[in-house]
Amino acid sequence: MSDYQHFVAEREKIDFLIEKGFIIKSVTENLSGAFLELERIKQGKVEKEKLHILTADARKYFSGILIQQL
């Protein structure tokens, strides 16, 4: 898969979760990428998801979403 296709796949995963009502709660970055922890409250229960983001473009993309959430 090309870098662009990796980016598109990661962007779609992020968008899917954001559309479902998840918000980014924490970001942990290391040499193997960024780990996003997303959370939503549905019917009084906290649901959590975790994504591993590898591409630099996807990191820039979720950074913009994170700023919007502030």
Side-chain angles (χ1 to χ4, degrees), residues 6-66:
H6 279 288
F7 161 67
V8 170
E10 290 179 340
R11 184 185 67 194
E12 288 175 352
K13 289 177 189 175
I14 294 167
D15 286 344
F16 176 76
L17 291 173
I18 296 298
E19 288 173 10
K20 293 291 184 184
F22 284 86
I23 60 170
I24 299 171
K25 291 303 266 185
S26 71
V27 178
T28 305
E29 293 200 36
N30 58 30
L31 295 176
S32 65
F35 293 92
L36 294 180
E37 290 186 18
L38 298 103
E39 206 174 83
R40 77 173 172 178
I41 298 174
K42 187 174 181 182
Q43 299 174 347
K45 294 182 181 179
V46 176
E47 295 180 15
K48 296 183 180 190
E49 290 287 333
K50 205 171 206 182
L51 288 178
H52 186 196
I53 304 299
L54 299 172
T55 63
D57 288 330
R59 289 181 188 187
K60 286 187 252 180
Y61 182 73
F62 80 69
S63 295
I65 292 172
L66 191 57

